[in-house]
């Protein structure tokens, strides 16, 4: 019997495969550091104490931590295929992710879920999946698919499916929308977990939202919001990604009593940040820099998410737990030297030591289905021929997905909106790209601070139509049409010339190229956006742009159907 063999190793009747000698073992159960050996057999921790193995590694008083867990991530936001994503994050100590494939599912439906499940199956990375709950995220936009509860039944009992992904349609929960209720009931009936997404929801509405069975939230922007949700029994994920950076603020509300309910996540992170900053290791280091005890910070990245999602053999170093371990030089510099998955060395000095299989992308490619646009398609018309008009503007805030609805005066000539180089008011457009409906939503945005050009991308959360921002119509059209030509991706145009582009041919979201190539191209795009087009350094040019189409984050967004007031949950006119 297998357990008998492990017991023999534990009580020293036989030698285990591997022993780490002379370690400072981070104990996430008792919040202390234990000096001793870690014995491993067949990828399982069999003992802590004094052991000798078939192979012995003296770690010379370095620290051994459980592998990190990203509690909520969209692989697609890295613009990398899953195997390339693993190459980026595993060397930084992440050995488990809880992925929500709602980006690729909004484009490709069930084929998107299947792609994420199949392409992560043989990676040296525990990949659990939350079934996308909002495809589309709302009825106020066109997506590439619609998934109902009956569609999700196919995967609900897959052993790697933990439950239902972030329920962004919080009005649908509160007002008992039938499709939403069906999905919640599907998860509850099968005893599955339900993730939340409830920015600024509070009071009685928050009570109702939680009552439906939703257990987590990663959209808190203030300590007060976080504390209200903690008091009502939610787990709070503190997010530190590329566009949304909540950790420095929210960590102020963490104390010795509520820390066990805090998880760390990245949500959305681009390849340049993954390679330069890191992944969950960066979040841990940032928490420590903000005064959090190092062991507490590690708990947030290990045992807390494991407990939250009932991953009973992950997140700790103890008998019976998987030997997903990281070797750290010290708890101040927090440099991860080695990463072990199931007791096997898979990364060293931030470099992967594993190879990955090629995947079949065919069902998630060739997803751009729309006609090219021209300048007439993107005009903003007014009744008056010339003069000024006060209009509704989307105003950006630094490092936040939450926008403000404000009113600004714009100039009119020949009944049309006129760009003013002295005003930071840019044109924003969302072009439907799934069914070739011809829908184009047009609005205006402030605080992007782009000059002499346009940026277009087929990444626009969560329906992933083409979104573009620019200060002149020629560049707007040129950038959009380049994205269409590439069958998805990112393009920057200036003076009617394409300065740089990146093809994202997997669902219009991810590249089939390796991480080095994607990062090289993306860094060039970032450099051009900031240094040539002078985009504000307070925003991420591409992630911020992509979230301007998400009509579930306050206060005002733009979809292919028009300008949307998220607080009223209705379309509004520009004027």
């Amino acid at each position: 019997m297998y357990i008998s063999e492990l017991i023999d190793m534990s009580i020293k009747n036989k030698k285990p495969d591997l022993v780490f000698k002379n370690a400072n073992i981070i104990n996430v159960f008792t919040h202390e550091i234990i000096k001793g050996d870690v014995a491993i057999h067949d990828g399982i921790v069999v003992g802590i104490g004094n052991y000798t193995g078939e192979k012995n590694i003296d770690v010379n008083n370095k620290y051994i931590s459980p592998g990190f867990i990203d509690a909520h991530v969209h692989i697609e936001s890295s613009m990398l295929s899953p195997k390339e994503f693993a190459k980026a994050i595993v060397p930084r100590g992440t050995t488990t992710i809880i992925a929500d494939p709602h980006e690729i599912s909004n484009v490709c439906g069930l084929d998107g879920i299947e792609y994420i499940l199949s392409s992560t199956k043989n990676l040296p990375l525990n990949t659990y999946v939350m079934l996308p709950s909002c495809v589309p995220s709302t009825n106020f936009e066109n997506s590439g698919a619609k998934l109902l509860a009956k569609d999700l039944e196919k995967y609900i009992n897959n052993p790697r499916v933990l439950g239902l992904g972030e329920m962004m349609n919080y009005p649908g929960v509160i007002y008992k929308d039938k499709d939403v209720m069906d999905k919640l009931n599907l998860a509850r009936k099968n005893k599955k977990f339900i993730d939340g997404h409830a920015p600024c929801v509070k009071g009685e509405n928050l009570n109702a939202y939680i009552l439906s069975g939703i257990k987590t939230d990663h959209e808190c922007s203030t300590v007060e919001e976080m504390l209200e949700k903690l008091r009502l029994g939610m787990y709070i994920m503190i997010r530190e990604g590329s566009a949304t950076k909540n950790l420095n603020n929210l960590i102020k509300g963490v104390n010795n009593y509520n820390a066990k309910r805090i998880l760390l996540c990245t949500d959305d992170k681009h390849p340049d940040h993954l390679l330069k900053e890191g992944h969950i290791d960066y979040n841990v280091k940032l928490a420590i820099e903000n005064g959090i005890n190092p062991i507490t910070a590690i708990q947030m990245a290990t045992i807390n998410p494991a407990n939250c999602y009932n991953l009973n053999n992950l997140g700790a170093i103890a008998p019976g737990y998987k030997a997903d371990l990281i070797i750290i030089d010290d708890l101040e510099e927090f440099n991860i030297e080695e990463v072990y998955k199931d007791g096997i060395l898979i990364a060293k000095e931030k470099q992967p030591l594993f190879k990955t299989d090629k995947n079949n992308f065919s069902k998630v490619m060739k997803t751009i289905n729309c006609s090219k646009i021209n300048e007439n398609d993107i005009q903003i018309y007014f009744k008056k021929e010339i003069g000024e008009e006060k209009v509704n503007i989307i105003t950006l805030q630094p490092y936040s997905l939450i926008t403000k609805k404000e009113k600004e005066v714009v100039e009119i000539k020949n009944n049309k909106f006129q760009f003013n180089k002295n005003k930071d008011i840019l044109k924003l457009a969302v072009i439907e790209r799934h069914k070739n409906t011809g829908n184009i939503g047009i609005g205006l945005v402030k605080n992007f601070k782009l000059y002499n050009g346009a940026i277009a991308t087929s990444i626009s959360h969560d329906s992933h139509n083409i979104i573009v921002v620019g200060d002149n119509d020629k560049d707007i059209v040129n950038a959009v049409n380049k994205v269409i030509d590439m069958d998805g991706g990112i393009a920057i145009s200036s003076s009617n010339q394409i300065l740089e582009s990146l093809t994202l041919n997997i669902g219009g979201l991810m590249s089939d190229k390796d991480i080095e190539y994607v990062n090289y191209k993306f860094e060039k795009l970032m450099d051009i956006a900031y240094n040539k087009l002078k985009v504000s350094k307070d925003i991420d040019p591409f992630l911020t742009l992509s979230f301007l189409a998400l009509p579930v984050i306050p206060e005002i967004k733009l979809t292919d159907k028009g300008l949307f007031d998220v607080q009223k949950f209705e379309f509004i006119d520009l004027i």
Side-chain angles (χ1 to χ4, degrees), residues 513-537:
K513 305 296 184 185
D514 61 42
I515 184 172
E516 291 78 15
Y517 174 84
V518 175
N519 185 56
Y520 168 74
K521 296 285 278 186
F522 188 70
E523 284 192 329
K524 288 182 70 176
L525 286 164
M526 291 289 284
D527 180 65
I528 291 168
Y530 282 133
N531 297 318
K532 188 172 181 64
L533 270 60
K534 305 301 181 184
V535 171
S536 169
K537 295 290 179 69

PDB file of all heavy atoms in Angstrom, residues 513-537:
ATOM      1  N   LYS A 513       4.295  32.985 -29.853  1.00  0.00           N
ATOM      2  CA  LYS A 513       5.750  33.109 -29.825  1.00  0.00           C
ATOM      3  C   LYS A 513       6.264  32.936 -28.392  1.00  0.00           C
ATOM      4  O   LYS A 513       5.500  32.956 -27.421  1.00  0.00           O
ATOM      5  CB  LYS A 513       6.193  34.464 -30.362  1.00  0.00           C
ATOM      6  CG  LYS A 513       5.670  34.789 -31.751  1.00  0.00           C
ATOM      7  CD  LYS A 513       6.200  33.852 -32.804  1.00  0.00           C
ATOM      8  CE  LYS A 513       5.739  34.273 -34.194  1.00  0.00           C
ATOM      9  NZ  LYS A 513       6.148  33.296 -35.236  1.00  0.00           N
ATOM     10  N   ASP A 514       7.590  32.809 -28.253  1.00  0.00           N
ATOM     11  CA  ASP A 514       8.159  32.614 -26.924  1.00  0.00           C
ATOM     12  C   ASP A 514       8.186  33.937 -26.157  1.00  0.00           C
ATOM     13  O   ASP A 514       8.012  35.024 -26.713  1.00  0.00           O
ATOM     14  CB  ASP A 514       9.545  31.973 -26.994  1.00  0.00           C
ATOM     15  CG  ASP A 514      10.570  32.818 -27.748  1.00  0.00           C
ATOM     16  OD1 ASP A 514      10.598  34.053 -27.564  1.00  0.00           O
ATOM     17  OD2 ASP A 514      11.360  32.240 -28.508  1.00  0.00           O
ATOM     18  N   ILE A 515       8.418  33.812 -24.860  1.00  0.00           N
ATOM     19  CA  ILE A 515       8.329  34.968 -23.968  1.00  0.00           C
ATOM     20  C   ILE A 515       9.371  36.029 -24.316  1.00  0.00           C
ATOM     21  O   ILE A 515       9.105  37.237 -24.190  1.00  0.00           O
ATOM     22  CB  ILE A 515       8.455  34.539 -22.490  1.00  0.00           C
ATOM     23  CG1 ILE A 515       8.254  35.749 -21.562  1.00  0.00           C
ATOM     24  CG2 ILE A 515       9.758  33.845 -22.207  1.00  0.00           C
ATOM     25  CD1 ILE A 515       8.172  35.393 -20.097  1.00  0.00           C
ATOM     26  N   GLU A 516      10.536  35.607 -24.771  1.00  0.00           N
ATOM     27  CA  GLU A 516      11.588  36.566 -25.105  1.00  0.00           C
ATOM     28  C   GLU A 516      11.146  37.466 -26.263  1.00  0.00           C
ATOM     29  O   GLU A 516      11.343  38.688 -26.220  1.00  0.00           O
ATOM     30  CB  GLU A 516      12.885  35.842 -25.453  1.00  0.00           C
ATOM     31  CG  GLU A 516      13.557  35.158 -24.281  1.00  0.00           C
ATOM     32  CD  GLU A 516      12.925  33.836 -23.894  1.00  0.00           C
ATOM     33  OE1 GLU A 516      12.129  33.285 -24.698  1.00  0.00           O
ATOM     34  OE2 GLU A 516      13.213  33.346 -22.778  1.00  0.00           O
ATOM     35  N   TYR A 517      10.530  36.848 -27.276  1.00  0.00           N
ATOM     36  CA  TYR A 517      10.052  37.626 -28.418  1.00  0.00           C
ATOM     37  C   TYR A 517       8.925  38.562 -27.999  1.00  0.00           C
ATOM     38  O   TYR A 517       8.929  39.762 -28.344  1.00  0.00           O
ATOM     39  CB  TYR A 517       9.563  36.694 -29.525  1.00  0.00           C
ATOM     40  CG  TYR A 517       8.908  37.415 -30.688  1.00  0.00           C
ATOM     41  CD1 TYR A 517       9.668  37.949 -31.720  1.00  0.00           C
ATOM     42  CD2 TYR A 517       7.510  37.577 -30.741  1.00  0.00           C
ATOM     43  CE1 TYR A 517       9.068  38.625 -32.775  1.00  0.00           C
ATOM     44  CE2 TYR A 517       6.910  38.251 -31.789  1.00  0.00           C
ATOM     45  CZ  TYR A 517       7.688  38.770 -32.802  1.00  0.00           C
ATOM     46  OH  TYR A 517       7.086  39.441 -33.834  1.00  0.00           O
ATOM     47  N   VAL A 518       7.958  38.038 -27.271  1.00  0.00           N
ATOM     48  CA  VAL A 518       6.812  38.855 -26.862  1.00  0.00           C
ATOM     49  C   VAL A 518       7.273  40.017 -26.003  1.00  0.00           C
ATOM     50  O   VAL A 518       6.846  41.167 -26.185  1.00  0.00           O
ATOM     51  CB  VAL A 518       5.768  38.003 -26.112  1.00  0.00           C
ATOM     52  CG1 VAL A 518       4.631  38.879 -25.589  1.00  0.00           C
ATOM     53  CG2 VAL A 518       5.203  36.916 -27.028  1.00  0.00           C
ATOM     54  N   ASN A 519       8.180  39.743 -25.082  1.00  0.00           N
ATOM     55  CA  ASN A 519       8.666  40.809 -24.209  1.00  0.00           C
ATOM     56  C   ASN A 519       9.443  41.859 -24.993  1.00  0.00           C
ATOM     57  O   ASN A 519       9.302  43.060 -24.746  1.00  0.00           O
ATOM     58  CB  ASN A 519       9.549  40.223 -23.110  1.00  0.00           C
ATOM     59  CG  ASN A 519       9.987  41.269 -22.108  1.00  0.00           C
ATOM     60  OD1 ASN A 519       9.163  41.955 -21.511  1.00  0.00           O
ATOM     61  ND2 ASN A 519      11.280  41.416 -21.937  1.00  0.00           N
ATOM     62  N   TYR A 520      10.266  41.417 -25.944  1.00  0.00           N
ATOM     63  CA  TYR A 520      11.024  42.359 -26.776  1.00  0.00           C
ATOM     64  C   TYR A 520      10.091  43.303 -27.522  1.00  0.00           C
ATOM     65  O   TYR A 520      10.279  44.530 -27.508  1.00  0.00           O
ATOM     66  CB  TYR A 520      11.895  41.588 -27.762  1.00  0.00           C
ATOM     67  CG  TYR A 520      12.499  42.446 -28.857  1.00  0.00           C
ATOM     68  CD1 TYR A 520      13.553  43.312 -28.588  1.00  0.00           C
ATOM     69  CD2 TYR A 520      12.005  42.376 -30.156  1.00  0.00           C
ATOM     70  CE1 TYR A 520      14.104  44.102 -29.588  1.00  0.00           C
ATOM     71  CE2 TYR A 520      12.553  43.163 -31.165  1.00  0.00           C
ATOM     72  CZ  TYR A 520      13.591  44.021 -30.876  1.00  0.00           C
ATOM     73  OH  TYR A 520      14.118  44.806 -31.857  1.00  0.00           O
ATOM     74  N   LYS A 521       9.061  42.749 -28.157  1.00  0.00           N
ATOM     75  CA  LYS A 521       8.111  43.570 -28.905  1.00  0.00           C
ATOM     76  C   LYS A 521       7.300  44.463 -27.968  1.00  0.00           C
ATOM     77  O   LYS A 521       7.060  45.647 -28.266  1.00  0.00           O
ATOM     78  CB  LYS A 521       7.172  42.676 -29.721  1.00  0.00           C
ATOM     79  CG  LYS A 521       7.847  41.861 -30.800  1.00  0.00           C
ATOM     80  CD  LYS A 521       8.230  42.714 -31.997  1.00  0.00           C
ATOM     81  CE  LYS A 521       7.075  42.937 -32.930  1.00  0.00           C
ATOM     82  NZ  LYS A 521       7.466  43.643 -34.168  1.00  0.00           N
ATOM     83  N   PHE A 522       6.907  43.908 -26.831  1.00  0.00           N
ATOM     84  CA  PHE A 522       6.071  44.682 -25.918  1.00  0.00           C
ATOM     85  C   PHE A 522       6.854  45.831 -25.289  1.00  0.00           C
ATOM     86  O   PHE A 522       6.324  46.934 -25.111  1.00  0.00           O
ATOM     87  CB  PHE A 522       5.499  43.780 -24.828  1.00  0.00           C
ATOM     88  CG  PHE A 522       4.479  44.463 -23.969  1.00  0.00           C
ATOM     89  CD1 PHE A 522       3.234  44.789 -24.480  1.00  0.00           C
ATOM     90  CD2 PHE A 522       4.768  44.813 -22.660  1.00  0.00           C
ATOM     91  CE1 PHE A 522       2.302  45.448 -23.698  1.00  0.00           C
ATOM     92  CE2 PHE A 522       3.842  45.467 -21.879  1.00  0.00           C
ATOM     93  CZ  PHE A 522       2.599  45.779 -22.393  1.00  0.00           C
ATOM     94  N   GLU A 523       8.118  45.594 -24.982  1.00  0.00           N
ATOM     95  CA  GLU A 523       8.936  46.685 -24.435  1.00  0.00           C
ATOM     96  C   GLU A 523       9.087  47.816 -25.443  1.00  0.00           C
ATOM     97  O   GLU A 523       9.112  48.995 -25.062  1.00  0.00           O
ATOM     98  CB  GLU A 523      10.297  46.150 -23.995  1.00  0.00           C
ATOM     99  CG  GLU A 523      10.249  45.377 -22.686  1.00  0.00           C
ATOM    100  CD  GLU A 523      11.631  45.108 -22.124  1.00  0.00           C
ATOM    101  OE1 GLU A 523      12.578  44.970 -22.928  1.00  0.00           O
ATOM    102  OE2 GLU A 523      11.756  45.030 -20.888  1.00  0.00           O
ATOM    103  N   LYS A 524       9.192  47.472 -26.719  1.00  0.00           N
ATOM    104  CA  LYS A 524       9.260  48.508 -27.753  1.00  0.00           C
ATOM    105  C   LYS A 524       7.954  49.298 -27.796  1.00  0.00           C
ATOM    106  O   LYS A 524       7.963  50.534 -27.918  1.00  0.00           O
ATOM    107  CB  LYS A 524       9.553  47.879 -29.109  1.00  0.00           C
ATOM    108  CG  LYS A 524      10.979  47.358 -29.269  1.00  0.00           C
ATOM    109  CD  LYS A 524      11.231  46.775 -30.654  1.00  0.00           C
ATOM    110  CE  LYS A 524      11.253  47.848 -31.724  1.00  0.00           C
ATOM    111  NZ  LYS A 524      11.595  47.297 -33.056  1.00  0.00           N
ATOM    112  N   LEU A 525       6.835  48.586 -27.693  1.00  0.00           N
ATOM    113  CA  LEU A 525       5.536  49.267 -27.670  1.00  0.00           C
ATOM    114  C   LEU A 525       5.428  50.198 -26.461  1.00  0.00           C
ATOM    115  O   LEU A 525       4.958  51.337 -26.589  1.00  0.00           O
ATOM    116  CB  LEU A 525       4.409  48.232 -27.629  1.00  0.00           C
ATOM    117  CG  LEU A 525       4.128  47.461 -28.926  1.00  0.00           C
ATOM    118  CD1 LEU A 525       3.284  46.226 -28.643  1.00  0.00           C
ATOM    119  CD2 LEU A 525       3.419  48.352 -29.942  1.00  0.00           C
ATOM    120  N   MET A 526       5.864  49.722 -25.309  1.00  0.00           N
ATOM    121  CA  MET A 526       5.807  50.550 -24.101  1.00  0.00           C
ATOM    122  C   MET A 526       6.689  51.794 -24.252  1.00  0.00           C
ATOM    123  O   MET A 526       6.285  52.904 -23.874  1.00  0.00           O
ATOM    124  CB  MET A 526       6.256  49.736 -22.884  1.00  0.00           C
ATOM    125  CG  MET A 526       5.302  48.643 -22.463  1.00  0.00           C
ATOM    126  SD  MET A 526       3.772  49.267 -21.710  1.00  0.00           S
ATOM    127  CE  MET A 526       4.353  49.714 -20.094  1.00  0.00           C
ATOM    128  N   ASP A 527       7.879  51.598 -24.779  1.00  0.00           N
ATOM    129  CA  ASP A 527       8.803  52.720 -24.953  1.00  0.00           C
ATOM    130  C   ASP A 527       8.212  53.775 -25.889  1.00  0.00           C
ATOM    131  O   ASP A 527       8.277  54.983 -25.602  1.00  0.00           O
ATOM    132  CB  ASP A 527      10.123  52.208 -25.506  1.00  0.00           C
ATOM    133  CG  ASP A 527      11.127  53.331 -25.719  1.00  0.00           C
ATOM    134  OD1 ASP A 527      11.544  53.949 -24.736  1.00  0.00           O
ATOM    135  OD2 ASP A 527      11.465  53.596 -26.896  1.00  0.00           O
ATOM    136  N   ILE A 528       7.624  53.336 -26.975  1.00  0.00           N
ATOM    137  CA  ILE A 528       7.016  54.278 -27.922  1.00  0.00           C
ATOM    138  C   ILE A 528       5.833  54.988 -27.284  1.00  0.00           C
ATOM    139  O   ILE A 528       5.660  56.209 -27.435  1.00  0.00           O
ATOM    140  CB  ILE A 528       6.585  53.540 -29.205  1.00  0.00           C
ATOM    141  CG1 ILE A 528       7.821  53.069 -29.980  1.00  0.00           C
ATOM    142  CG2 ILE A 528       5.714  54.432 -30.081  1.00  0.00           C
ATOM    143  CD1 ILE A 528       7.514  52.090 -31.084  1.00  0.00           C
ATOM    144  N   ALA A 529       5.004  54.230 -26.558  1.00  0.00           N
ATOM    145  CA  ALA A 529       3.823  54.835 -25.937  1.00  0.00           C
ATOM    146  C   ALA A 529       4.213  55.936 -24.948  1.00  0.00           C
ATOM    147  O   ALA A 529       3.642  57.030 -24.965  1.00  0.00           O
ATOM    148  CB  ALA A 529       2.991  53.759 -25.237  1.00  0.00           C
ATOM    149  N   TYR A 530       5.203  55.658 -24.110  1.00  0.00           N
ATOM    150  CA  TYR A 530       5.587  56.624 -23.082  1.00  0.00           C
ATOM    151  C   TYR A 530       6.476  57.749 -23.623  1.00  0.00           C
ATOM    152  O   TYR A 530       6.285  58.921 -23.272  1.00  0.00           O
ATOM    153  CB  TYR A 530       6.315  55.920 -21.937  1.00  0.00           C
ATOM    154  CG  TYR A 530       5.411  55.187 -20.971  1.00  0.00           C
ATOM    155  CD1 TYR A 530       5.693  53.886 -20.570  1.00  0.00           C
ATOM    156  CD2 TYR A 530       4.279  55.798 -20.437  1.00  0.00           C
ATOM    157  CE1 TYR A 530       4.878  53.221 -19.667  1.00  0.00           C
ATOM    158  CE2 TYR A 530       3.451  55.141 -19.542  1.00  0.00           C
ATOM    159  CZ  TYR A 530       3.758  53.850 -19.155  1.00  0.00           C
ATOM    160  OH  TYR A 530       2.939  53.192 -18.269  1.00  0.00           O
ATOM    161  N   ASN A 531       7.423  57.396 -24.464  1.00  0.00           N
ATOM    162  CA  ASN A 531       8.451  58.375 -24.832  1.00  0.00           C
ATOM    163  C   ASN A 531       8.198  59.094 -26.150  1.00  0.00           C
ATOM    164  O   ASN A 531       8.695  60.202 -26.337  1.00  0.00           O
ATOM    165  CB  ASN A 531       9.812  57.681 -24.861  1.00  0.00           C
ATOM    166  CG  ASN A 531      10.212  57.160 -23.494  1.00  0.00           C
ATOM    167  OD1 ASN A 531      10.021  57.838 -22.484  1.00  0.00           O
ATOM    168  ND2 ASN A 531      10.741  55.949 -23.440  1.00  0.00           N
ATOM    169  N   LYS A 532       7.440  58.501 -27.056  1.00  0.00           N
ATOM    170  CA  LYS A 532       7.133  59.187 -28.306  1.00  0.00           C
ATOM    171  C   LYS A 532       5.723  59.775 -28.285  1.00  0.00           C
ATOM    172  O   LYS A 532       5.508  60.920 -28.664  1.00  0.00           O
ATOM    173  CB  LYS A 532       7.303  58.250 -29.499  1.00  0.00           C
ATOM    174  CG  LYS A 532       7.174  58.962 -30.845  1.00  0.00           C
ATOM    175  CD  LYS A 532       7.542  58.075 -32.017  1.00  0.00           C
ATOM    176  CE  LYS A 532       7.426  58.814 -33.346  1.00  0.00           C
ATOM    177  NZ  LYS A 532       8.373  59.933 -33.456  1.00  0.00           N
ATOM    178  N   LEU A 533       4.765  58.972 -27.814  1.00  0.00           N
ATOM    179  CA  LEU A 533       3.390  59.466 -27.759  1.00  0.00           C
ATOM    180  C   LEU A 533       3.078  60.185 -26.449  1.00  0.00           C
ATOM    181  O   LEU A 533       2.003  60.757 -26.294  1.00  0.00           O
ATOM    182  CB  LEU A 533       2.401  58.312 -27.969  1.00  0.00           C
ATOM    183  CG  LEU A 533       1.996  58.024 -29.424  1.00  0.00           C
ATOM    184  CD1 LEU A 533       3.205  57.671 -30.279  1.00  0.00           C
ATOM    185  CD2 LEU A 533       0.977  56.894 -29.477  1.00  0.00           C
ATOM    186  N   LYS A 534       4.014  60.138 -25.499  1.00  0.00           N
ATOM    187  CA  LYS A 534       3.933  60.886 -24.236  1.00  0.00           C
ATOM    188  C   LYS A 534       2.719  60.494 -23.383  1.00  0.00           C
ATOM    189  O   LYS A 534       2.111  61.338 -22.707  1.00  0.00           O
ATOM    190  CB  LYS A 534       3.898  62.395 -24.498  1.00  0.00           C
ATOM    191  CG  LYS A 534       5.062  62.919 -25.328  1.00  0.00           C
ATOM    192  CD  LYS A 534       6.402  62.641 -24.671  1.00  0.00           C
ATOM    193  CE  LYS A 534       7.557  63.195 -25.489  1.00  0.00           C
ATOM    194  NZ  LYS A 534       8.881  62.846 -24.907  1.00  0.00           N
ATOM    195  N   VAL A 535       2.359  59.202 -23.411  1.00  0.00           N
ATOM    196  CA  VAL A 535       1.269  58.718 -22.562  1.00  0.00           C
ATOM    197  C   VAL A 535       1.632  58.946 -21.096  1.00  0.00           C
ATOM    198  O   VAL A 535       2.799  58.831 -20.694  1.00  0.00           O
ATOM    199  CB  VAL A 535       1.013  57.220 -22.829  1.00  0.00           C
ATOM    200  CG1 VAL A 535       0.034  56.638 -21.814  1.00  0.00           C
ATOM    201  CG2 VAL A 535       0.473  57.028 -24.248  1.00  0.00           C
ATOM    202  N   SER A 536       0.644  59.248 -20.272  1.00  0.00           N
ATOM    203  CA  SER A 536       0.856  59.513 -18.853  1.00  0.00           C
ATOM    204  C   SER A 536       1.553  58.349 -18.165  1.00  0.00           C
ATOM    205  O   SER A 536       1.173  57.187 -18.336  1.00  0.00           O
ATOM    206  CB  SER A 536      -0.491  59.766 -18.168  1.00  0.00           C
ATOM    207  OG  SER A 536      -0.345  59.780 -16.761  1.00  0.00           O
ATOM    208  N   LYS A 537       2.562  58.655 -17.362  1.00  0.00           N
ATOM    209  CA  LYS A 537       3.274  57.618 -16.615  1.00  0.00           C
ATOM    210  C   LYS A 537       2.440  57.078 -15.456  1.00  0.00           C
ATOM    211  O   LYS A 537       2.826  56.101 -14.804  1.00  0.00           O
ATOM    212  CB  LYS A 537       4.600  58.178 -16.082  1.00  0.00           C
ATOM    213  CG  LYS A 537       5.603  58.552 -17.180  1.00  0.00           C
ATOM    214  CD  LYS A 537       6.158  57.332 -17.881  1.00  0.00           C
ATOM    215  CE  LYS A 537       7.142  57.696 -18.989  1.00  0.00           C
ATOM    216  NZ  LYS A 537       8.408  58.256 -18.513  1.00  0.00           N
TER     217      LYS A 537
END
